[in-house]
Amino acid sequence: MTISTSTTQRQADAIVVGAGFAGLYAVHALRDKMGLDVVAFDAADDVGGTWYWNRYPGARVDIESVHYSYSFDDALQQEWRWSERFCAQPEILAYLEHVAERYDLRRSIRFKTRITSLTWDDEASVWVATTDAGDTWRAPHVVSGAGNLSVPKKPDFPGIEKFAGQVLMTGNWPHHEVCFTGKRVGIIGVGSSGIQAISEIAKTADHLTVFQRTPNYATPIGNELLDPAEEADYKANYQAIREASRNHFLGVPYQDAQPSALAVSAQERRAVFDDRWNRGGFRLFIDSFADILFDKRANDTAAEYIRERIRERVKDPATAELLSPTDYPYGTKRPPLETDYYEAYNRPNVTLLDVRTNTVKAVMPKGVELSDGTLHELDVLILATGFDACTGPLLALNITGRNGLRLADHWAHGPQTYLGLMSAGFPNLFMITGPQSPSVLYNMPLAIEDHVDLSCEAIAYLRKEGLGVIEPTPEAEQAWVAHTNELAQHTLLPESKTSWYMGDNIPGKPRRVLVYLGGAPNYRAKCEATVKAGWEGFSLTAAEGALA
Ligand code: FAD
Ligand code: NAP
């Protein structure tokens, strides 16, 4: 169905937020598989989500492309060809553009349009969405594909607006090529984005100054061109590969993890770490020893191994020391994957500054001033300072549910969801890869497909039973929040004090684990049991009124 443009108050069966991996699949599933009238919105001027916005040099996937892709249509996964093991942003964006084209999705999406509020109309049992185009849309169902990492952290550096040079954000990078030749470039942030950007920009900038607060445990990505024979092998076995992925904690078909780093000799442990380091990807983190994320002593062995490798790669011992994390366990912040990152610090045009103690005081017209009064003169300042993760994009939607309940108030002490999919008091609002689901600790396209399919199943069930409204009970929600918090306590995650997984990166954000840590297979089993038990933990009722 083509979107009508004739009135300013319009209606649909379902409103979809976003046109990234989640929004695109939601449009296809709701519209083409279920036959619903769907309208989607994205603030961007085209599809891609993360891969539309994050165009900085070096932007690349950290899960192998053959796995980080849709599985819902075998024809699609057979026909698409990935050129590298871990593809770069332009290729992933091209893939999502191909998906939009192949399934004719753009006709249901309104681009350059931001949803500014979502309000539940108790009497009509519909959501009312307003947009920055001045339109109002009404629909009984909302499927949010607003993303987990789509609201960049606001710059918190006084004076930044007076900087005479160029300010760039990795999370909202210009569409034109940025040339760093002859420029003095500064970058704040050494998370996955900063690390990827530093490795590339160091090659062309006249000088690159890295402002580092917390060093990271970056390990080699192991990228290379995808061998056609290997590709053919993947394609011949895709179904089994996807099944193995869905049965793995992280959603990848890795199978080599040994039970404990502490159960083997130092020599055996070293051999495993060397092997996983050389094979790249998340193998060191997730496919070496199963207790790395759970037992501090096991974690220490991996952390020390990484520090040792950093010392081998960075020539200046003081710089190597500064680049070596010591005060939080490995994996409690998402481990960045890199190519030649540590070697960048061996170049004469790269300077590493520690801004943990000597903090960024202000941005001056000429550059960045630290608290000791030193001024670092720059032509370009890059902010790789991260995102208001998981809850940020949902709260930015300005959601008001039943009886005027604001999501911002309901989540004042941290997110409250049932299964990470829905929140009590917010009927028929499906949050794809929402807080307290496996989401970012799982291969995201698969997590997205699972959640979109579950949302469709709920809507189909309502329609089959002649009902109109589904929402979690407050009791089920409380139990889920307690369960996810409890799971986190059995891991090392709470030990990091600067991780976005815990909400620590945004000043004032409540500290609560934002992901489900029981692993995707357990999570899926819980969802399946819930559905089988007649949507246990949910209340399913008739709609209060017909859609006017
Ligand atoms: P997004 O891709 O974030 O899309 C959300 C869209 O919703 C955006 O386009 C946004 O403009 C739109 N939107 C949000 N709010 C509104 C609103 N109010 N009105 C209108 N539009 C709105 N995950 C992995 O598993 N592996 C990886 O290798 C990986 N790499 C990543 C690299 C980067 C640089 C980043 C930032 C994230 C990465 N992620 C990775 C996580 C990534 O976000 C997900 O894998 C996936 O792309 C999320 O898709 P999505 O559709 O849920 O959300
Ligand atoms: P991030 O991991 O949150 O890193 C932000 C960086 O900015 C940190 O080094 C942080 O320091 C620093 N920072 C923030 N505010 C600062 C301040 N006021 N002063 C000094 N430093 C400050 O963000 P990200 O790198 O954008 O990555 C976010 C997530 O996106 C990743 O974890 C990953 O899930 C995804 N991602 C994936 C890839 C990939 O490889 N495929 C690439 C990019 C992003 P502190 O640590 O001290 O707070």
Side-chain angles (χ1 to χ4, degrees):
M1 190 165 303
T2 310
I3 299 161
S4 142
T5 50
S6 57
T7 59
T8 51
Q9 165 119 318
R10 300 156 218 203
Q11 57 194 48
D13 295 325
I15 290 169
V16 170
V17 187
F21 267 99
L24 290 178
Y25 180 54
V27 169
H28 175 58
L30 292 160
R31 188 193 70 182
D32 304 334
K33 293 187 185 174
M34 293 185 69
L36 301 186
D37 181 9
V38 177
V39 60
F41 299 88
D42 202 303
D45 63 13
D46 202 359
V47 300
T50 289
W51 305 102
Y52 170 94
W53 296 105
N54 294 265
R55 297 166 186 247
Y56 59 86
R60 186 176 291 283
V61 78
D62 60 11
I63 288 180
E64 287 92 331
S65 294
V66 290
H67 308 313
Y68 183 84
S69 49
Y70 289 121
S71 70
F72 69 84
D73 183 346
D74 190 49
L76 172 66
Q77 62 186 10
Q78 292 296 334
E79 79 199 8
W80 184 259
R81 300 201 64 181
W82 296 108
S83 68
E84 294 176 272
R85 192 178 287 271
F86 295 88
C87 287
Q89 172 271 334
E91 199 162 329
I92 307 165
L93 183 59
Y95 168 74
L96 290 169
E97 288 168 351
H98 168 75
V99 169
E101 200 62 29
R102 193 184 197 285
Y103 301 96
D104 193 13
L105 301 176
R106 284 191 180 92
R107 72 183 157 91
S108 297
I109 306 170
R110 302 177 79 85
F111 294 106
K112 292 193 221 169
T113 311
R114 184 171 289 283
I115 295 187
T116 47
S117 71
L118 277 172
T119 307
W120 177 252
D121 178 338
D122 281 316
E123 280 168 20
S125 293
V126 294
W127 282 102
V128 183
T130 59
T131 75
D132 61 359
D135 293 339
T136 301
W137 285 81
R138 297 164 70 81
H141 304 287
V142 171
V143 176
S144 170
N148 294 93
L149 297 160
S150 57
V151 173
K153 181 180 167 180
K154 284 202 189 82
D156 45 8
F157 307 108
I160 196 156
E161 66 292 344
K162 295 194 191 122
F163 181 56
Q166 199 180 9
V167 177
L168 300 172
M169 293 178 87
T170 51
N172 187 3
W173 196 261
H175 286 209
H176 57 82
E177 201 186 325
V178 183
C179 177
F180 296 106
T181 312
K183 301 255 173 72
R184 296 163 302 173
V185 182
I187 182 164
I188 303 179
V190 292
S192 306
S193 304
I195 282 174
Q196 289 182 332
I198 289 162
S199 312
E200 283 304 308
I201 296 168
K203 294 176 189 165
T204 57
D206 182 56
H207 195 89
L208 177 64
T209 305
V210 178
F211 298 88
Q212 170 189 278
R213 194 163 61 182
T214 311
N216 235 314
Y217 294 97
T219 62
I221 191 167
N223 189 34
E224 57 190 5
L225 290 178
L226 193 55
D227 172 8
E230 201 182 334
E231 184 193 357
D233 195 43
Y234 280 128
K235 289 189 172 173
N237 297 293
Y238 238 137
Q239 204 185 329
I241 290 171
R242 297 298 198 178
E243 221 173 284
S245 296
R246 284 197 151 87
N247 283 315
H248 184 278
F249 185 94
L250 192 74
V252 284
Y254 295 172
Q255 296 172 334
D256 294 339
Q258 298 184 20
S260 171
L262 304 173
V264 295
S265 70
Q267 208 177 6
E268 286 171 286
R269 194 163 53 230
R270 173 81 197 196
V272 169
F273 285 154
D274 280 346
D275 173 74
R276 307 304 188 265
W277 176 276
N278 293 335
R279 286 159 74 195
F282 282 130
R283 287 186 184 275
L284 183 72
F285 169 46
I286 212 77
D287 203 31
S288 58
F289 297 102
D291 51 357
I292 297 274
L293 198 56
F294 301 91
D295 185 322
K296 180 70 167 57
R297 288 182 311 136
N299 193 287
D300 285 343
T301 65
E304 183 45 35
Y305 174 82
I306 297 169
R307 287 190 287 266
E308 203 180 311
R309 302 305 302 253
I310 295 172
R311 287 194 288 269
E312 278 168 24
R313 290 172 63 182
V314 179
K315 287 186 187 148
D316 173 39
T319 305
E321 205 50 42
L322 204 51
L323 287 165
S324 300
T326 49
D327 61 352
Y328 66 96
Y330 169 50
T332 56
K333 297 173 78 148
R334 188 176 180 96
L337 300 184
E338 53 81 34
T339 304
D340 295 339
Y341 171 62
Y342 292 109
E343 286 70 16
Y345 295 96
N346 296 333
R347 303 174 72 105
N349 67 328
V350 177
T351 306
L352 176 66
L353 294 177
D354 177 9
V355 297
R356 195 199 299 244
T357 42
N358 189 14
T359 54
V360 174
K361 185 174 162 202
V363 178
M364 309 301 280
K366 283 189 165 181
V368 169
E369 186 181 317
L370 301 185
S371 22
D372 68 357
T374 50
L375 177 70
H376 296 271
E377 294 196 12
L378 303 170
D379 302 307
V380 183
L381 175 61
I382 300 172
L383 303 180
T385 45
F387 298 87
D388 184 355
C390 302
T391 51
L394 290 159
L395 292 172
L397 278 163
N398 240 322
I399 300 173
T400 307
R402 266 195 198 289
N403 304 315
L405 176 65
R406 290 174 65 241
L407 190 69
D409 292 332
H410 190 52
W411 287 7
H413 303 292
Q416 312 239 108
T417 74
Y418 180 43
L419 298 173
L421 182 72
M422 300 191 81
S423 194
F426 301 86
N428 293 4
L429 170 64
F430 302 93
M431 300 175 290
I432 304 307
T433 65
Q436 297 159 344
S437 74
S439 67
V440 289
L441 279 186
Y442 188 43
N443 177 357
M444 286 291 277
L446 300 191
I448 283 165
E449 287 180 339
D450 291 353
H451 256 187
V452 169
D453 289 346
L454 190 60
S455 308
C456 288
E457 203 172 338
I459 295 170
Y461 184 79
L462 289 178
R463 291 164 81 89
K464 182 169 112 326
E465 298 296 318
L467 297 168
V469 177
I470 179 167
E471 58 200 303
T473 65
E475 297 75 26
E477 179 173 281
Q478 278 157 23
W480 187 255
V481 175
H483 176 55
T484 51
N485 289 342
E486 162 87 22
L487 284 172
Q489 292 311 320
H490 293 296
T491 73
L492 299 171
L493 240 66
E495 291 201 22
S496 165
K497 301 293 180 251
T498 60
S499 176
W500 60 261
Y501 287 157
M502 296 293 300
D504 286 330
N505 66 325
I506 302 293
K509 187 163 172 166
R511 186 161 215 259
R512 180 174 285 178
V513 66
L514 296 172
V515 282
Y516 173 84
L517 279 151
N522 285 335
Y523 175 77
R524 188 169 318 95
K526 281 183 191 296
C527 291
E528 279 167 13
T530 300
V531 175
K532 214 167 164 190
W535 294 90
E536 192 175 31
F538 289 95
S539 130
L540 293 99
T541 51
E544 284 299 318
L547 186 58

